[in-house]
Amino acid sequence: MGVTIHDVARAAGVSVASASRALSGRRKVTPEIAERVSRAAAELGYQPNAVAKALRDRTTGTIGMIVPGIGNPFFTTIVEAVEHQLQETGRDLLLCASQYRPDVEARRLETLLARRVDGLIISPCDIEASVPAVLNAARRVPLVQVDRYIEGGGADWVGVDDDSALAQAVEHVAAGGARVVTFVGSRLMNSSARSRLSGFERAAARAGVNATAPLLGEFTLEWGIEAGRLLLDGDTMPDAVVCGNDEIAVGLVRALRTGGVRVPDDVSVVGFDDVGHAAMCDPPLTTVRQPVEEMAAEAVRLLGQVRVSDPRPAQRVAIAPRLVVRETSRPVAAGGANGMGKGRGTA
Amino acid sequence: MGVTIHDVARAAGVSVASASRALSGRRKVTPEIAERVSRAAAELGYQPNAVAKALRDRTTGTIGMIVPGIGNPFFTTIVEAVEHQLQETGRDLLLCASQYRPDVEARRLETLLARRVDGLIISPCDIEASVPAVLNAARRVPLVQVDRYIEGGGADWVGVDDDSALAQAVEHVAAGGARVVTFVGSRLMNSSARSRLSGFERAAARAGVNATAPLLGEFTLEWGIEAGRLLLDGDTMPDAVVCGNDEIAVGLVRALRTGGVRVPDDVSVVGFDDVGHAAMCDPPLTTVRQPVEEMAAEAVRLLGQVRVSDPRPAQRVAIAPRLVVRETSRPVAAGGANGMGKGRGTA
DNA sequence: GTGAAAGCGCTAACAA
DNA sequence: TTGTTAGCGCTTTCAC
């Protein structure tokens, strides 16, 4: 182990400079030298040392990525798409999980910076607590936020257009006859939670439906189930529920059905993400599909645009999602509201 | 950007050697120098360059990992666990997807080696085609295979004990009264597919149940559905089906139910992995839980044991899994077979 | 205990 | 076109 370019040069009977030039092909060398060098390299099993090259070039060909949790299917999908984009351009992915904790996030940011990544893609775990570390990192290296972002708008971002997303969801259930609709999401510690809720409220106002008090917990199946029970125990059951993600929606549907409420006959449920098993759960979930591939491509593209030295206004790219209608929502009502807004169905 | 240890040394009025010693704390320096250096470092915002350190130390503190696909929830779970293990020891993860293609896999292996990763964790995509690249890599750097492995046993491996797994699954359905059982898995291009099928056959023989011809396709929901249809169209419906992974099982259950076969009343279905949504699908899946955390911990531990220079026999660590009984399998029969082995139930 | 200097492997000036 | 050499930033002998 450890055949260097010096060894290759010696074996080929040329200088290291010629060997380097021949190997990289970026400068002219006589065909004969090129031949001798590549033969020597092959015989010795030479493999360039990317670390040395990185030190010399001040470029590692490496992108750091930090997501709250790798296990979350939504982030997994983004990671996969980003990795794919990077492969196209010959770069590699240094992946970290912040475990939803701003302190570990800050630490990971430091080590990634120490490794001299060429850029950073991050989904900050906390809209407030993540601010200093993210802003500091953005000052040192091209950085783009994906999905979640920090408050204040100091760094580039690419994500889904939550307003459009919630508008589609609300209009869809309204068209199905819903008059009273509830939003079930997550507590407002991250940007997605916030913008989805406000998107929902705006959309509800615009569509003229009655938005009841939102139920806010976690982005988990468990919370979906609990929210379902809360609805069951409350005195009015909405005509439709719009959820902050698919996990919540699946849990909610389950709890509702267990409680004797029919979905979609009694209440329509709409999810968010369309990642993982939304299509394969039973019944298949009506949900808003995040344009993950586009988001990843855009993030990688943006990374190439950013010049840390010459700060321009932070870019915000919101990609319009698409509502995917499946079987947890009522189809468009024939003649407006169908009159069964209040009251619980008898299963 | 770009404050080096020289800058720190100058600011502190000491030599770079002292600065280095003070910063690393690995060698004695007078308290006063230690103080001056750390103050200077803080004021200048000094951040050590991990690339330079790696070049000098011939150690990057980086582990490369290659899985067939990041999107597959099983691999995602392993990746997450590995990343977590590495964080504990201050190392970082360079993650790649081979996209189930041996050529891509070989290329990724090369770039990871060029980056001088300290070790490699891989789940080879093809039991045969992956051999040369994996063996070659193992010759250069500590390498451990997780889950899938290449034939010939030339490299360390950690995974689940498929024999134990299938034995538990088969004995469970047998105890529930099943006499005829079918295995639905994937075509035999990777080690998991092979060893699960052979584990199944051994277990069936041992348990004295009648194993019908296995159905082999892909590790996907779609294949599960198709296999279900095949069963529906065939002339005998088994009492139980043991699947190669959870996706297949979920698809199979769906197809069977759609076809009017009750699960678990008419046929029991057992999955494999217990990752992702096995617990949250409806009905919750009886499945064999892969000990993913243990596997990841063991893989990282093994990595530390391997000495490329001093080859010892390849280690194989098979971790015993645990059957998780949920609602797609019949409970233990009171008095043996219940007599409805053949024929299709009327839903 | 401290400093000067070599060297990790590579590429790009700069000369020839 | 080719070779010599400096230097990327760091740590660690080796002298003092």
Side-chain angles (χ1 to χ4, degrees), chain A residues 47 50 55 60-61 70-71 76 80 83-84 87 92-97 99 108 110 113-116 140 254 277 280, chain B residues 1 47 50 55 60-61 71 76 80 83-84 87 92-97 99 108 110 113-116 140 254 277 280:
Chain A
Q47 191 189 38
L55 179 59
T60 55
I70 300 172
T76 298
E80 177 166 44
E83 199 269 347
H84 189 235
Q87 271 199 35
D92 286 313
L93 211 219
L94 233 11
L95 179 67
C96 302
Q99 294 160 177
R108 310 306 286 137
E110 281 305 306
L113 253 15
R115 288 201 188 282
R116 299 299 190 262
R140 310 176 59 104
R254 174 122 21 118
H277 39 276
M280 65 184 253
Chain B
M1 289 294 65
Q47 191 190 36
L55 179 60
T60 55
T76 298
E80 178 166 44
E83 197 269 346
H84 190 235
Q87 271 199 34
D92 285 314
L93 212 220
L94 232 12
L95 179 68
C96 301
Q99 295 161 178
R108 309 307 286 138
E110 280 306 304
L113 251 17
R115 289 201 187 282
R116 298 300 191 262
R140 310 175 58 104
R254 176 126 16 121
H277 40 274
M280 66 183 250

Short mmCIF file of all heavy atoms in Angstrom, two decimals, chain A residues 47 50 55 60-61 70-71 76 80 83-84 87 92-97 99 108 110 113-116 140 254 277 280, chain B residues 1 47 50 55 60-61 71 76 80 83-84 87 92-97 99 108 110 113-116 140 254 277 280:
data_model
loop_
_atom_site.label_atom_id
_atom_site.label_comp_id
_atom_site.label_asym_id
_atom_site.label_seq_id
_atom_site.Cartn_x
_atom_site.Cartn_y
_atom_site.Cartn_z
N GLN A 47 -2.86 4.42 -7.17
CA GLN A 47 -4.15 5.04 -6.95
C GLN A 47 -3.92 6.40 -6.34
O GLN A 47 -3.35 6.51 -5.25
CB GLN A 47 -4.96 4.18 -5.99
CG GLN A 47 -6.39 4.62 -5.92
CD GLN A 47 -7.12 3.92 -4.82
OE1 GLN A 47 -6.54 3.69 -3.76
NE2 GLN A 47 -8.37 3.58 -5.06
N ALA A 50 -6.46 11.16 -2.81
CA ALA A 50 -7.39 12.29 -2.86
C ALA A 50 -7.16 13.27 -1.73
O ALA A 50 -7.48 14.45 -1.85
CB ALA A 50 -8.83 11.80 -2.84
N LEU A 55 -5.60 18.74 -0.27
CA LEU A 55 -4.81 19.72 0.46
C LEU A 55 -4.20 20.73 -0.51
O LEU A 55 -4.23 21.93 -0.29
CB LEU A 55 -3.69 19.01 1.23
CG LEU A 55 -2.76 19.93 2.02
CD1 LEU A 55 -3.55 20.74 3.06
CD2 LEU A 55 -1.68 19.12 2.72
N THR A 60 -12.13 19.56 -1.76
CA THR A 60 -12.17 18.14 -1.41
C THR A 60 -13.06 17.31 -2.31
O THR A 60 -12.99 16.09 -2.30
CB THR A 60 -12.67 17.96 0.04
OG1 THR A 60 -13.93 18.62 0.16
CG2 THR A 60 -11.69 18.54 1.03
N GLY A 61 -13.94 17.98 -3.04
CA GLY A 61 -14.88 17.21 -3.86
C GLY A 61 -15.89 16.50 -2.98
O GLY A 61 -16.41 15.44 -3.32
N ILE A 70 -31.83 10.27 9.97
CA ILE A 70 -31.74 9.53 8.72
C ILE A 70 -32.91 8.57 8.58
O ILE A 70 -33.32 8.23 7.48
CB ILE A 70 -30.40 8.75 8.67
CG1 ILE A 70 -29.24 9.73 8.78
CG2 ILE A 70 -30.28 7.93 7.41
CD1 ILE A 70 -27.89 9.06 8.93
N GLY A 71 -33.44 8.15 9.72
CA GLY A 71 -34.51 7.16 9.68
C GLY A 71 -35.83 7.71 9.14
O GLY A 71 -36.63 6.97 8.57
N THR A 76 -34.67 10.61 4.34
CA THR A 76 -34.00 9.55 3.60
C THR A 76 -34.12 9.77 2.11
O THR A 76 -33.15 9.63 1.36
CB THR A 76 -34.66 8.19 3.91
OG1 THR A 76 -34.51 7.94 5.30
CG2 THR A 76 -34.03 7.08 3.11
N GLU A 80 -31.07 10.42 -0.47
CA GLU A 80 -30.86 9.58 -1.64
C GLU A 80 -30.77 10.42 -2.91
O GLU A 80 -29.87 10.23 -3.73
CB GLU A 80 -32.01 8.57 -1.76
CG GLU A 80 -31.89 7.72 -3.00
CD GLU A 80 -32.82 6.52 -2.95
OE1 GLU A 80 -33.99 6.71 -2.57
OE2 GLU A 80 -32.38 5.41 -3.29
N GLU A 83 -27.49 12.41 -2.92
CA GLU A 83 -26.35 11.53 -3.22
C GLU A 83 -26.30 11.25 -4.70
O GLU A 83 -25.24 11.25 -5.32
CB GLU A 83 -26.49 10.23 -2.42
CG GLU A 83 -25.19 9.46 -2.28
CD GLU A 83 -24.97 8.44 -3.39
OE1 GLU A 83 -25.92 8.14 -4.14
OE2 GLU A 83 -23.85 7.95 -3.51
N HIS A 84 -27.45 11.03 -5.26
CA HIS A 84 -27.52 10.74 -6.68
C HIS A 84 -27.02 11.92 -7.51
O HIS A 84 -26.24 11.78 -8.44
CB HIS A 84 -28.96 10.38 -7.05
CG HIS A 84 -29.10 9.86 -8.43
ND1 HIS A 84 -29.95 10.40 -9.36
CD2 HIS A 84 -28.47 8.85 -9.05
CE1 HIS A 84 -29.85 9.74 -10.50
NE2 HIS A 84 -28.95 8.79 -10.34
N GLN A 87 -23.22 12.17 -7.27
CA GLN A 87 -22.53 11.16 -8.06
C GLN A 87 -22.34 11.63 -9.49
O GLN A 87 -21.30 11.40 -10.10
CB GLN A 87 -23.30 9.84 -8.04
CG GLN A 87 -22.94 8.93 -6.89
CD GLN A 87 -23.35 7.49 -7.15
OE1 GLN A 87 -23.30 6.99 -8.27
NE2 GLN A 87 -23.74 6.81 -6.09
N ASP A 92 -18.65 13.37 -3.45
CA ASP A 92 -19.11 12.42 -2.45
C ASP A 92 -19.81 13.11 -1.30
O ASP A 92 -19.64 14.30 -1.05
CB ASP A 92 -17.95 11.57 -1.95
CG ASP A 92 -17.52 10.53 -2.97
OD1 ASP A 92 -18.40 9.86 -3.52
OD2 ASP A 92 -16.32 10.42 -3.24
N LEU A 93 -20.59 12.32 -0.61
CA LEU A 93 -21.47 12.81 0.44
C LEU A 93 -21.00 12.42 1.83
O LEU A 93 -20.86 11.24 2.14
CB LEU A 93 -22.84 12.18 0.23
CG LEU A 93 -24.13 12.89 0.61
CD1 LEU A 93 -25.12 11.94 1.21
CD2 LEU A 93 -23.93 14.11 1.45
N LEU A 94 -20.77 13.41 2.66
CA LEU A 94 -20.46 13.17 4.06
C LEU A 94 -21.76 13.39 4.81
O LEU A 94 -22.24 14.52 4.92
CB LEU A 94 -19.42 14.20 4.50
CG LEU A 94 -18.10 13.87 5.17
CD1 LEU A 94 -17.75 12.39 5.14
CD2 LEU A 94 -17.00 14.69 4.55
N LEU A 95 -22.35 12.31 5.29
CA LEU A 95 -23.69 12.41 5.87
C LEU A 95 -23.70 12.38 7.40
O LEU A 95 -23.07 11.52 8.01
CB LEU A 95 -24.55 11.26 5.35
CG LEU A 95 -25.98 11.22 5.89
CD1 LEU A 95 -26.77 12.41 5.38
CD2 LEU A 95 -26.66 9.92 5.52
N CYS A 96 -24.44 13.29 7.98
CA CYS A 96 -24.56 13.34 9.44
C CYS A 96 -26.01 13.47 9.86
O CYS A 96 -26.81 14.05 9.15
CB CYS A 96 -23.83 14.55 10.00
SG CYS A 96 -22.10 14.63 9.60
N ALA A 97 -26.31 12.96 11.04
CA ALA A 97 -27.63 13.15 11.62
C ALA A 97 -27.48 14.04 12.85
O ALA A 97 -26.58 13.84 13.66
CB ALA A 97 -28.22 11.81 12.01
N GLN A 99 -29.84 14.32 14.98
CA GLN A 99 -30.70 13.71 16.00
C GLN A 99 -31.68 14.71 16.61
O GLN A 99 -32.02 14.63 17.78
CB GLN A 99 -29.85 13.06 17.09
CG GLN A 99 -29.08 11.89 16.53
CD GLN A 99 -27.89 11.50 17.40
OE1 GLN A 99 -27.21 10.54 17.11
NE2 GLN A 99 -27.67 12.24 18.47
N ARG A 108 -21.63 18.83 14.55
CA ARG A 108 -21.43 18.20 13.24
C ARG A 108 -21.02 19.23 12.20
O ARG A 108 -20.20 18.97 11.33
CB ARG A 108 -22.72 17.50 12.77
CG ARG A 108 -23.34 16.58 13.77
CD ARG A 108 -22.39 15.54 14.29
NE ARG A 108 -22.12 14.50 13.34
CZ ARG A 108 -20.90 14.00 13.12
NH1 ARG A 108 -19.86 14.47 13.79
NH2 ARG A 108 -20.73 13.04 12.26
N GLU A 110 -19.31 21.83 12.72
CA GLU A 110 -17.88 22.11 12.93
C GLU A 110 -16.99 21.05 12.30
O GLU A 110 -16.02 21.37 11.62
CB GLU A 110 -17.57 22.18 14.44
CG GLU A 110 -17.96 23.50 15.08
CD GLU A 110 -17.33 24.69 14.37
OE1 GLU A 110 -16.09 24.73 14.22
OE2 GLU A 110 -18.09 25.59 13.96
N LEU A 113 -16.97 21.33 8.59
CA LEU A 113 -16.17 22.48 8.17
C LEU A 113 -14.68 22.15 8.30
O LEU A 113 -13.88 22.49 7.43
CB LEU A 113 -16.53 23.67 9.07
CG LEU A 113 -17.36 24.83 8.52
CD1 LEU A 113 -18.05 24.54 7.23
CD2 LEU A 113 -18.28 25.39 9.57
N ALA A 114 -14.33 21.48 9.36
CA ALA A 114 -12.92 21.10 9.57
C ALA A 114 -12.46 20.16 8.45
O ALA A 114 -11.31 20.18 8.05
CB ALA A 114 -12.75 20.43 10.92
N ARG A 115 -13.37 19.38 7.95
CA ARG A 115 -13.02 18.48 6.86
C ARG A 115 -12.99 19.19 5.52
O ARG A 115 -12.79 18.56 4.48
CB ARG A 115 -14.02 17.32 6.78
CG ARG A 115 -13.91 16.34 7.89
CD ARG A 115 -14.51 15.00 7.55
NE ARG A 115 -14.55 14.15 8.72
CZ ARG A 115 -13.49 13.49 9.21
NH1 ARG A 115 -12.32 13.61 8.60
NH2 ARG A 115 -13.60 12.75 10.28
N ARG A 116 -13.27 20.43 5.55
CA ARG A 116 -13.20 21.26 4.36
C ARG A 116 -14.11 20.80 3.24
O ARG A 116 -13.69 20.70 2.08
CB ARG A 116 -11.76 21.34 3.85
CG ARG A 116 -10.76 21.97 4.85
CD ARG A 116 -11.17 23.39 5.17
NE ARG A 116 -10.14 24.12 5.92
CZ ARG A 116 -10.14 24.27 7.25
NH1 ARG A 116 -11.11 23.74 7.98
NH2 ARG A 116 -9.19 24.97 7.84
N ARG A 140 -18.71 30.57 5.87
CA ARG A 140 -17.43 29.95 5.53
C ARG A 140 -17.47 29.12 4.26
O ARG A 140 -16.43 28.85 3.66
CB ARG A 140 -16.96 29.07 6.69
CG ARG A 140 -17.00 29.79 8.03
CD ARG A 140 -16.62 28.84 9.15
NE ARG A 140 -15.30 28.31 8.94
CZ ARG A 140 -14.22 28.70 9.59
NH1 ARG A 140 -14.30 29.65 10.49
NH2 ARG A 140 -13.07 28.15 9.35
N ARG A 254 -56.14 5.52 11.20
CA ARG A 254 -56.30 4.30 12.00
C ARG A 254 -57.16 4.57 13.23
O ARG A 254 -58.10 3.81 13.52
CB ARG A 254 -54.91 3.81 12.42
CG ARG A 254 -54.94 2.64 13.36
CD ARG A 254 -54.23 1.41 12.87
NE ARG A 254 -53.25 1.65 11.84
CZ ARG A 254 -51.96 1.38 11.96
NH1 ARG A 254 -51.50 0.87 13.08
NH2 ARG A 254 -51.15 1.60 10.97
N HIS A 277 -44.50 4.95 2.51
CA HIS A 277 -45.61 4.03 2.36
C HIS A 277 -46.95 4.69 2.17
O HIS A 277 -47.97 4.04 2.30
CB HIS A 277 -45.64 3.17 3.59
CG HIS A 277 -45.32 3.99 4.79
ND1 HIS A 277 -44.03 4.24 5.18
CD2 HIS A 277 -46.11 4.67 5.63
CE1 HIS A 277 -44.04 5.04 6.22
NE2 HIS A 277 -45.28 5.32 6.51
N MET A 280 -48.88 2.82 -0.20
CA MET A 280 -49.13 1.41 0.06
C MET A 280 -49.84 1.13 1.36
O MET A 280 -50.08 -0.02 1.70
CB MET A 280 -47.84 0.61 -0.04
CG MET A 280 -46.80 0.94 0.99
SD MET A 280 -45.28 -0.03 0.67
CE MET A 280 -45.34 -1.23 2.00
N MET B 1 -11.83 32.47 7.04
CA MET B 1 -11.27 31.51 6.09
C MET B 1 -9.75 31.52 6.12
O MET B 1 -9.11 32.54 5.96
CB MET B 1 -11.69 31.85 4.65
CG MET B 1 -13.13 31.59 4.35
SD MET B 1 -13.59 29.85 4.42
CE MET B 1 -13.33 29.42 6.12
N GLN B 47 -9.55 27.07 13.09
CA GLN B 47 -10.19 25.77 12.97
C GLN B 47 -9.22 24.83 12.26
O GLN B 47 -8.83 25.08 11.12
CB GLN B 47 -11.45 25.90 12.14
CG GLN B 47 -12.29 24.66 12.18
CD GLN B 47 -13.40 24.74 11.17
OE1 GLN B 47 -13.22 25.28 10.09
NE2 GLN B 47 -14.54 24.17 11.52
N ALA B 50 -8.63 19.44 8.80
CA ALA B 50 -8.63 17.99 8.91
C ALA B 50 -7.96 17.32 7.71
O ALA B 50 -7.46 16.21 7.81
CB ALA B 50 -10.05 17.47 9.07
N LEU B 55 -3.50 14.00 5.87
CA LEU B 55 -2.36 13.70 5.01
C LEU B 55 -1.13 13.34 5.86
O LEU B 55 -0.43 12.38 5.61
CB LEU B 55 -2.04 14.92 4.14
CG LEU B 55 -0.84 14.77 3.20
CD1 LEU B 55 -1.05 13.61 2.24
CD2 LEU B 55 -0.59 16.06 2.44
N THR B 60 -7.84 9.34 8.04
CA THR B 60 -8.80 10.40 7.76
C THR B 60 -9.91 10.53 8.80
O THR B 60 -10.62 11.52 8.84
CB THR B 60 -9.48 10.16 6.40
OG1 THR B 60 -10.05 8.85 6.40
CG2 THR B 60 -8.48 10.27 5.27
N GLY B 61 -10.08 9.49 9.60
CA GLY B 61 -11.19 9.53 10.55
C GLY B 61 -12.52 9.40 9.83
O GLY B 61 -13.55 9.90 10.26
N GLY B 71 -32.78 4.35 -0.31
CA GLY B 71 -34.21 4.43 -0.09
C GLY B 71 -34.81 3.21 0.57
O GLY B 71 -35.82 3.30 1.25
N THR B 76 -31.54 1.91 5.06
CA THR B 76 -31.59 3.18 5.75
C THR B 76 -31.36 3.00 7.23
O THR B 76 -30.63 3.76 7.87
CB THR B 76 -33.00 3.80 5.58
OG1 THR B 76 -33.21 4.02 4.20
CG2 THR B 76 -33.11 5.09 6.35
N GLU B 80 -28.30 4.52 9.39
CA GLU B 80 -28.52 5.35 10.56
C GLU B 80 -27.76 4.81 11.77
O GLU B 80 -27.10 5.55 12.49
CB GLU B 80 -30.02 5.40 10.87
CG GLU B 80 -30.32 6.21 12.12
CD GLU B 80 -31.81 6.53 12.22
OE1 GLU B 80 -32.62 5.62 11.97
OE2 GLU B 80 -32.12 7.68 12.53
N GLU B 83 -24.01 5.31 11.32
CA GLU B 83 -23.64 6.71 11.49
C GLU B 83 -23.59 7.04 12.98
O GLU B 83 -22.70 7.73 13.46
CB GLU B 83 -24.65 7.61 10.77
CG GLU B 83 -24.17 9.03 10.53
CD GLU B 83 -24.51 10.00 11.64
OE1 GLU B 83 -25.34 9.69 12.52
OE2 GLU B 83 -23.93 11.09 11.65
N HIS B 84 -24.55 6.51 13.68
CA HIS B 84 -24.61 6.75 15.12
C HIS B 84 -23.40 6.18 15.84
O HIS B 84 -22.78 6.84 16.66
CB HIS B 84 -25.91 6.14 15.67
CG HIS B 84 -26.18 6.53 17.07
ND1 HIS B 84 -26.38 5.61 18.07
CD2 HIS B 84 -26.27 7.75 17.64
CE1 HIS B 84 -26.57 6.26 19.20
NE2 HIS B 84 -26.52 7.54 18.97
N GLN B 87 -20.34 8.35 15.13
CA GLN B 87 -20.35 9.60 15.87
C GLN B 87 -19.74 9.42 17.25
O GLN B 87 -19.02 10.27 17.75
CB GLN B 87 -21.78 10.14 16.01
CG GLN B 87 -22.21 11.01 14.86
CD GLN B 87 -23.40 11.89 15.22
OE1 GLN B 87 -23.57 12.35 16.35
NE2 GLN B 87 -24.24 12.13 14.23
N ASP B 92 -16.52 10.13 10.74
CA ASP B 92 -17.59 10.54 9.85
C ASP B 92 -17.85 9.52 8.76
O ASP B 92 -17.00 8.69 8.45
CB ASP B 92 -17.29 11.91 9.25
CG ASP B 92 -17.50 13.02 10.25
OD1 ASP B 92 -18.55 13.01 10.94
OD2 ASP B 92 -16.63 13.89 10.38
N LEU B 93 -19.02 9.62 8.20
CA LEU B 93 -19.52 8.64 7.24
C LEU B 93 -19.57 9.18 5.83
O LEU B 93 -20.24 10.18 5.56
CB LEU B 93 -20.95 8.27 7.64
CG LEU B 93 -21.54 6.88 7.40
CD1 LEU B 93 -22.97 6.98 6.95
CD2 LEU B 93 -20.72 6.03 6.45
N LEU B 94 -18.88 8.50 4.94
CA LEU B 94 -18.96 8.84 3.51
C LEU B 94 -19.91 7.82 2.92
O LEU B 94 -19.57 6.64 2.83
CB LEU B 94 -17.56 8.67 2.92
CG LEU B 94 -16.84 9.73 2.10
CD1 LEU B 94 -17.48 11.09 2.16
CD2 LEU B 94 -15.39 9.79 2.54
N LEU B 95 -21.10 8.28 2.55
CA LEU B 95 -22.13 7.34 2.12
C LEU B 95 -22.34 7.28 0.61
O LEU B 95 -22.47 8.32 -0.04
CB LEU B 95 -23.46 7.70 2.79
CG LEU B 95 -24.64 6.81 2.42
CD1 LEU B 95 -24.45 5.41 2.98
CD2 LEU B 95 -25.94 7.42 2.93
N CYS B 96 -22.40 6.08 0.09
CA CYS B 96 -22.64 5.91 -1.34
C CYS B 96 -23.73 4.87 -1.60
O CYS B 96 -23.89 3.93 -0.82
CB CYS B 96 -21.39 5.39 -2.03
SG CYS B 96 -19.97 6.46 -1.87
N ALA B 97 -24.42 5.03 -2.71
CA ALA B 97 -25.39 4.03 -3.13
C ALA B 97 -24.87 3.38 -4.40
O ALA B 97 -24.40 4.06 -5.31
CB ALA B 97 -26.73 4.69 -3.39
N GLN B 99 -26.77 1.59 -6.25
CA GLN B 99 -27.93 1.47 -7.13
C GLN B 99 -28.13 0.05 -7.65
O GLN B 99 -28.60 -0.13 -8.77
CB GLN B 99 -27.82 2.47 -8.28
CG GLN B 99 -27.88 3.89 -7.79
CD GLN B 99 -27.33 4.90 -8.78
OE1 GLN B 99 -27.33 6.09 -8.54
NE2 GLN B 99 -26.86 4.41 -9.93
N ARG B 108 -17.55 3.23 -6.98
CA ARG B 108 -17.64 3.91 -5.69
C ARG B 108 -16.57 3.41 -4.74
O ARG B 108 -16.00 4.18 -3.96
CB ARG B 108 -19.02 3.67 -5.03
CG ARG B 108 -20.21 3.95 -5.90
CD ARG B 108 -20.20 5.32 -6.52
NE ARG B 108 -20.50 6.36 -5.57
CZ ARG B 108 -19.87 7.52 -5.51
NH1 ARG B 108 -18.87 7.77 -6.32
NH2 ARG B 108 -20.22 8.43 -4.64
N GLU B 110 -13.67 2.45 -5.57
CA GLU B 110 -12.43 3.11 -5.96
C GLU B 110 -12.32 4.52 -5.39
O GLU B 110 -11.29 4.91 -4.85
CB GLU B 110 -12.31 3.19 -7.49
CG GLU B 110 -11.85 1.90 -8.13
CD GLU B 110 -10.54 1.39 -7.54
OE1 GLU B 110 -9.55 2.15 -7.54
OE2 GLU B 110 -10.51 0.24 -7.08
N LEU B 113 -11.68 4.50 -1.71
CA LEU B 113 -10.29 4.11 -1.44
C LEU B 113 -9.37 5.29 -1.72
O LEU B 113 -8.43 5.56 -0.97
CB LEU B 113 -9.92 2.92 -2.34
CG LEU B 113 -9.74 1.51 -1.76
CD1 LEU B 113 -10.34 1.35 -0.38
CD2 LEU B 113 -10.26 0.47 -2.72
N ALA B 114 -9.66 5.99 -2.82
CA ALA B 114 -8.83 7.15 -3.16
C ALA B 114 -8.93 8.21 -2.07
O ALA B 114 -7.98 8.93 -1.80
CB ALA B 114 -9.28 7.73 -4.50
N ARG B 115 -10.07 8.26 -1.43
CA ARG B 115 -10.24 9.24 -0.36
C ARG B 115 -9.61 8.76 0.94
O ARG B 115 -9.72 9.41 1.97
CB ARG B 115 -11.72 9.51 -0.11
CG ARG B 115 -12.38 10.28 -1.21
CD ARG B 115 -13.65 10.97 -0.74
NE ARG B 115 -14.35 11.56 -1.86
CZ ARG B 115 -14.00 12.72 -2.42
NH1 ARG B 115 -12.95 13.38 -1.96
NH2 ARG B 115 -14.69 13.19 -3.44
N ARG B 116 -9.03 7.61 0.88
CA ARG B 116 -8.31 7.08 2.03
C ARG B 116 -9.18 6.93 3.27
O ARG B 116 -8.79 7.31 4.38
CB ARG B 116 -7.10 7.95 2.35
CG ARG B 116 -6.07 8.02 1.23
CD ARG B 116 -5.53 6.65 0.91
NE ARG B 116 -4.36 6.70 0.02
CZ ARG B 116 -4.42 6.52 -1.30
NH1 ARG B 116 -5.58 6.30 -1.90
NH2 ARG B 116 -3.31 6.53 -2.01
N ARG B 140 -6.90 -3.68 0.79
CA ARG B 140 -6.26 -2.39 1.01
C ARG B 140 -6.67 -1.71 2.30
O ARG B 140 -5.97 -0.83 2.79
CB ARG B 140 -6.59 -1.46 -0.17
CG ARG B 140 -6.32 -2.10 -1.53
CD ARG B 140 -6.77 -1.18 -2.65
NE ARG B 140 -6.09 0.10 -2.57
CZ ARG B 140 -5.10 0.45 -3.37
NH1 ARG B 140 -4.69 -0.36 -4.32
NH2 ARG B 140 -4.52 1.61 -3.24
N ARG B 254 -52.10 -7.87 1.21
CA ARG B 254 -53.08 -7.05 0.50
C ARG B 254 -53.74 -7.85 -0.62
O ARG B 254 -54.96 -7.87 -0.76
CB ARG B 254 -52.38 -5.82 -0.08
CG ARG B 254 -53.31 -4.96 -0.92
CD ARG B 254 -53.39 -3.52 -0.52
NE ARG B 254 -52.34 -3.08 0.34
CZ ARG B 254 -51.51 -2.09 0.04
NH1 ARG B 254 -51.61 -1.46 -1.12
NH2 ARG B 254 -50.62 -1.69 0.90
N HIS B 277 -42.40 0.28 8.37
CA HIS B 277 -43.81 0.30 8.69
C HIS B 277 -44.43 -1.05 9.03
O HIS B 277 -45.64 -1.17 9.05
CB HIS B 277 -44.53 0.90 7.51
CG HIS B 277 -43.93 0.40 6.24
ND1 HIS B 277 -42.83 1.00 5.67
CD2 HIS B 277 -44.21 -0.68 5.50
CE1 HIS B 277 -42.47 0.31 4.60
NE2 HIS B 277 -43.29 -0.71 4.49
N MET B 280 -46.76 -0.67 11.69
CA MET B 280 -47.86 0.26 11.52
C MET B 280 -48.76 -0.03 10.34
O MET B 280 -49.69 0.70 10.08
CB MET B 280 -47.36 1.69 11.49
CG MET B 280 -46.50 2.05 10.30
SD MET B 280 -45.91 3.76 10.49
CE MET B 280 -46.84 4.58 9.19
#
